[in-house]
Amino acid sequence: MSLNFLNIFVVPFALLACGISGAPLNILLVVIDDFGWSDVGFHGTKIATPNMDKLASEGVILDNYYVQPICTPTRSALLSGRYPIHTGLQRGVIHPEEPYGLPLNFTILPQKLKEAGYSTHMVGKWHLGFFEWPYTPTYRGYDSFYGFYSGAEDHFQHDRMGVVDLHDNKEPVRDMGGVNSARLFAKQAQHVIRSHNASKPLFLYLPFQNVHGPTQAPQEYVDKYQFIDDHERRHYAAMVDIVDEAIGNVTETMKQAGLWDSTLLIVSTDNGGIPSRGGYNWPLRGHKASLWEGGVRGVGFVHGKMLQKTGIKCKELLHVTDWYPTLLYLAGIKEDSSVPPLDGFNIWHSTSEGAPSPREEILHNIDDSGVAIRSGDMKLLMNVDNLTCRFLENQKSEA
């Protein structure tokens, strides 16, 4: 099986790094955590997601888009353009006590965009290591960071087992107890947008904690779903509802700031949902932490006036590693040759114009924890239960 040794074409910055009317191309990259395949309106759920539904209907729904089965591997792939087997982050997630992170020899997406003149900001969940300062966001290309380093925390108290994990750049934030995380991160993202100098292009990475557990939401949102009998599902639905509202508020602020017409919005999950925590992936088999479709086939869409064809579904094969070379291409950045080479492909023409995907295969994982390889319409899985069992055992021990 061949791997991708893609070289990104050098293109004039004026052609590709511009949105509408010559304005710099802004990038708003949103990640919704543990989002079940069937839990967004355009996939048929009864959960209210009017903002995402409208944005997706005006853009391009990614119908054959894949991520990794759990948090850290997907985030490493998104920001590095490499399969997790090439970053050493394919086996499980990074726990707070573990002394490692996304290796520093990888130049990640915000670093490349910052070199090209972008203002780079991150609001939300990091989960790529924080045992030493060089592994944290403001040392890895972000002009500012507001969020948390670990994988999950209380959505209102912003702590994990009594330890506060909410930071404004490097400083702990201790005065936001009681504020829901989706509202908090949306408010901070709006602040970044309003403060942005529009003469420079903006890269805003907004990985929400929603809808990752613990399943918590303001009661007024929970009350909207009294028709759902299951407690976890009802609270999960409320979490989907409030993160949809947060996305609507952020995009509205982009409009008010005069940035929206030149903004490319990408919305992605990091893995499938967990049924025991309210997330549904029907009709896909499997769930978060599995290499079955329910774990790795991701909810995703793009929106932007620079898209050539809109209001459609893209059925081309895409993977989360593809965003790295695609966004560098759009920003007019030439990726330096590096080892290991990129696993992602430039998928701009596939998402924007409906052209065939340059990708023919996906290596979901290959080690003794499980093997899954996609080639065309075929998928090979071997020893797929170990990763799931180990992940669920870890979740149980943390609880």
Side-chain angles (χ1 to χ4, degrees):
M1 180 187 64
S2 64
L3 296 177
N4 174 28
F5 291 86
L6 174 70
N7 290 319
I8 298 176
F9 296 105
V10 181
V11 292
F13 186 89
L15 291 179
L16 291 174
C18 293
I20 304 299
S21 302
L25 175 68
N26 305 302
I27 302 165
L28 175 57
L29 177 54
V30 175
V31 175
I32 303 175
D33 204 335
D34 289 4
F35 199 17
W37 173 262
S38 59
D39 294 333
V40 66
F42 56 79
H43 284 168
T45 186
K46 293 183 180 179
I47 301 172
T49 59
N51 294 295
M52 283 190 277
D53 294 345
K54 184 174 188 296
L55 290 164
S57 69
E58 295 171 347
V60 177
I61 295 171
L62 308 179
D63 197 52
N64 200 12
Y65 168 60
Y66 286 82
V67 292
Q68 295 300 120
I70 47 179
C71 304
T72 294
T74 290
R75 292 160 202 274
S76 71
L78 173 65
L79 296 183
S80 73
R82 275 87 175 184
Y83 289 140
I85 62 163
H86 290 150
T87 63
L89 297 177
Q90 80 275 23
R91 303 192 66 173
V93 298
I94 299 176
H95 297 283
E97 69 277 7
E98 292 178 322
Y100 69 98
L102 178 60
L104 300 180
N105 59 302
F106 291 102
T107 302
I108 63 174
L109 183 60
Q111 292 171 308
K112 297 297 294 186
L113 292 173
K114 189 173 182 178
E115 290 173 5
Y118 273 75
S119 294
T120 57
H121 303 273
M122 176 180 172
V123 179
K125 172 178 171 176
W126 177 237
H127 211 191
L128 288 173
F130 63 100
F131 75 106
E132 291 180 342
W133 285 119
Y135 288 84
T136 59
T138 53
Y139 288 80
R140 306 211 68 173
Y142 291 104
D143 294 326
S144 74
F145 166 68
Y146 190 98
F148 62 105
Y149 293 136
S150 63
E153 57 183 15
D154 188 282
H155 284 273
F156 289 92
Q157 299 308 316
H158 314 296
D159 67 347
R160 179 169 177 149
M161 295 182 287
V163 178
V164 172
D165 183 13
L166 180 62
H167 300 267
D168 186 351
N169 294 318
K170 294 172 64 175
E171 298 300 317
V173 177
R174 305 181 188 276
D175 60 352
M176 287 296 160
V179 181
N180 178 265
S181 67
R183 286 177 168 168
L184 178 63
F185 295 147
K187 182 178 179 181
Q188 182 64 24
Q190 290 172 290
H191 171 72
V192 168
I193 294 164
R194 294 185 182 114
S195 304
H196 176 64
N197 180 351
S199 66
K200 298 182 67 176
L202 171 66
F203 172 59
L204 175 55
Y205 177 42
L206 181 55
F208 287 99
Q209 181 176 346
N210 286 43
V211 290
H212 193 293
T215 43
Q216 301 169 319
Q219 190 60 43
E220 63 267 29
Y221 291 83
V222 178
D223 289 343
K224 294 170 62 175
Y225 296 96
Q226 291 300 318
F227 62 88
I228 299 176
D229 292 333
D230 182 78
H231 176 274
E232 289 294 311
R233 178 66 174 170
R234 189 185 318 128
H235 284 72
Y236 173 93
M239 293 170 70
V240 173
D241 192 309
I242 196 171
V243 79
D244 179 81
E245 178 184 279
I247 291 170
N249 290 338
V250 171
T251 55
E252 181 60 31
T253 301
M254 295 285 284
K255 295 173 186 176
Q256 294 170 357
L259 302 174
W260 185 242
D261 285 351
S262 55
T263 294
L264 176 66
L265 166 68
I266 301 168
V267 176
S268 171
T269 186
D270 62 344
N271 46 250
I274 309 175
S276 64
R277 294 189 177 179
Y280 288 0
N281 303 304
W282 187 91
L284 306 181
R285 177 179 180 179
H287 48 75
K288 175 180 179 176
S290 78
L291 290 165
W292 298 104
E293 292 292 278
V296 296
R297 188 173 175 185
V299 175
F301 67 88
V302 293
H303 179 286
K305 294 192 175 181
M306 61 290 306
L307 294 165
Q308 297 299 303
K309 293 183 178 180
T310 57
I312 60 173
K313 284 186 178 181
C314 174
K315 296 185 178 295
E316 297 299 315
L317 186 63
L318 313 173
H319 186 254
V320 67
T321 54
D322 298 332
W323 295 123
Y324 181 94
T326 301
L327 293 177
L328 296 193
Y329 169 80
L330 291 174
I333 302 169
K334 183 180 185 297
E335 169 63 14
D336 297 330
S337 59
S338 55
V339 178
L342 292 180
D343 296 304
F345 289 81
N346 174 11
I347 56 170
W348 177 244
H349 299 295
S350 300
T351 55
S352 175
E353 304 162 20
S357 174
R359 174 178 291 283
E360 297 179 353
E361 58 199 14
I362 296 173
L363 180 58
H364 294 295
N365 194 55
I366 182 168
D367 63 15
D368 59 6
S369 67
V371 174
I373 301 170
R374 169 75 178 269
S375 180
D377 293 331
M378 303 293 290
K379 184 175 180 180
L380 171 68
L381 296 99
M382 300 172 61
N383 195 30
V384 296
D385 290 328
N386 286 353
L387 177 62
T388 302
C389 293
R390 186 171 65 250
F391 174 80
L392 294 177
E393 287 170 359
N394 289 338
Q395 293 291 99
K396 184 176 181 180
S397 66
E398 289 179 7

